[in-house]
Amino acid sequence: MADKINNFKGIIALDLDGTLLDSTKGLSETNRETLAKAAEAGWVIVPTTGRFYGAIPQIVRELPFVRYAITINGAEVADLATEDIIYKAELPYQQVLQIMEFLDNYPLIYDIYQGGESFMTAAMKEQIDEMTDDVHYRRMLKELRQPVDDLKTFIAERKQDIQKTQFVTYDEEIHRQLMEILPQKFSDIVLTVTAKNNVEINNIKANKGLALWALADYLGVPRENTVSFGDALNDMAMIKAAGTGVAMANACEEIKAAADFITLSNDEDGVAYGINKFCLNNE
């Protein structure tokens, strides 16, 4: 168990893109200061993201009060101070190879997260601009995906399970079809959409809600003493699982409908507003 059991007031779980970070992927001073006040008041501040830890922006990783992180859509929960893994839910590498064989029939590109890194076939990486017109997403794919000669061969030779696989396609109809077909064809997977043109595939037990509960139990925090903030479909599980689920004003309609409260947008310091309201008792 954690060393400060019973001293925590609660957990604040924060999605990053579209939530804590503004539209330029920056962290506002208002949000930063409010997080610091909440941490000082006894709240555990937890980045909760589809990214792997190394892909979390440095401005977030350098926050001195961040010790725990939920990453890869809940596939991993880590104690950053000790490097202990509190919770993980990965895809068998054999299943990922089968999924990729199926996806090869469609005009798309795919990659994996494995061991806290991301890999993509080099030829597919060259097609990124063709598959999405989202400028920020393009840049992230190009900067973070390590090219390999052939991803399927790479996976087969390594024989290590996969934290997440995802594909990107410009074809909206194929995107819709695969969202329906893949869960029917492959068992124990969950699909989420976090950026234009993408679909992320995780183990069915890899979601931000189960990860949040695992961390709460580890820290001895009652599950009802959790507050989550999110904007996209991969935030749905934690919005529902948290004692208080907060949707951003810029969130998709499904997240707004599931939330207990809708705060301001990510460009209006909506996280700070919500923390003041629910954690610091400041309207």
Side-chain angles (χ1 to χ4, degrees):
M1 298 292 287
D3 55 0
K4 293 185 179 180
I5 189 168
N6 298 325
N7 289 341
F8 297 126
K9 186 170 290 186
I11 295 173
I12 299 173
L14 298 162
D15 172 59
L16 299 182
D17 300 293
T19 301
L20 178 63
L21 304 178
D22 62 26
S23 295
T24 68
K25 305 300 181 182
L27 175 64
S28 74
E29 191 58 34
T30 297
N31 276 342
R32 187 196 306 269
E33 291 176 356
T34 304
L35 291 178
K37 290 177 183 177
E40 186 176 358
W43 289 87
V44 183
I45 310 301
V46 184
T48 307
T49 178
R51 302 182 186 220
F52 59 90
Y53 179 69
I56 294 176
Q58 188 173 354
I59 52 175
V60 176
R61 285 187 280 120
E62 289 181 344
L63 293 173
F65 43 78
V66 170
R67 173 169 175 172
Y68 304 95
I70 295 171
T71 57
I72 317 171
N73 291 332
E76 185 170 287
V77 182
D79 182 331
L80 306 176
T82 64
E83 299 186 353
D84 289 339
I85 303 302
I86 297 166
Y87 178 83
K88 70 175 182 178
E90 299 180 340
L91 292 162
Y93 76 88
Q94 301 94 329
Q95 183 184 38
V96 173
L97 288 172
Q98 293 172 357
I99 291 171
M100 289 179 174
E101 290 284 354
F102 179 75
L103 293 177
D104 282 338
N105 296 303
Y106 298 89
L108 51 78
I109 58 176
Y110 49 70
D111 60 62
I112 62 166
Y113 285 11
Q114 184 184 66
E117 298 179 288
S118 183
F119 304 94
M120 174 183 276
T121 297
M124 288 189 175
K125 188 171 182 179
E126 293 177 357
Q127 299 177 54
I128 288 173
D129 286 347
E130 302 171 22
M131 294 296 171
T132 179
D133 58 6
D134 184 316
V135 176
H136 292 294
Y137 189 47
R138 277 180 177 177
R139 184 172 68 244
M140 187 168 68
L141 289 173
K142 291 176 180 179
E143 290 177 354
L144 300 176
R145 299 321 183 248
Q146 298 181 45
V148 297
D149 289 339
D150 181 79
L151 186 56
K152 288 183 292 183
T153 301
F154 178 82
I155 293 169
E157 291 177 348
R158 272 195 161 190
K159 295 182 170 60
Q160 296 177 16
D161 289 342
I162 307 299
Q163 295 167 311
K164 179 177 76 175
T165 184
Q166 64 179 337
F167 66 85
V168 185
T169 178
Y170 62 85
D171 192 311
E172 294 182 2
E173 179 59 23
I174 287 175
H175 187 283
R176 185 194 64 77
Q177 290 178 10
L178 289 174
M179 286 288 290
E180 294 180 3
I181 295 171
L182 286 171
Q184 299 171 12
K185 189 172 181 63
F186 299 97
S187 62
D188 298 325
I189 64 171
V190 61
L191 275 56
T192 55
V193 177
T194 60
K196 185 179 180 181
N197 307 109
N198 95 327
V199 176
E200 303 189 359
I201 305 170
N202 282 96
N203 183 302
I204 198 168
K205 293 183 179 179
N207 70 63
K208 294 181 179 183
L210 290 176
L212 176 59
W213 280 357
L215 179 59
D217 294 347
Y218 176 81
L219 296 177
V221 172
R223 293 178 177 180
E224 60 268 25
N225 290 5
T226 58
V227 181
S228 65
F229 291 78
D231 72 301
L233 290 178
N234 69 329
D235 301 318
M236 180 66 78
M238 75 169 181
I239 291 292
K240 291 182 175 179
T244 304
V246 181
M248 309 304 292
N250 53 285
C252 65
E253 292 306 314
E254 295 91 334
I255 293 296
K256 290 180 179 178
D260 299 299
F261 180 76
I262 300 174
T263 187
L264 303 175
S265 77
N266 64 317
D267 287 324
E268 300 172 303
D269 301 320
V271 164
Y273 184 87
I275 289 174
N276 277 317
K277 181 176 180 66
F278 293 106
C279 306
L280 299 177
N281 300 316
N282 297 321
E283 291 290 346

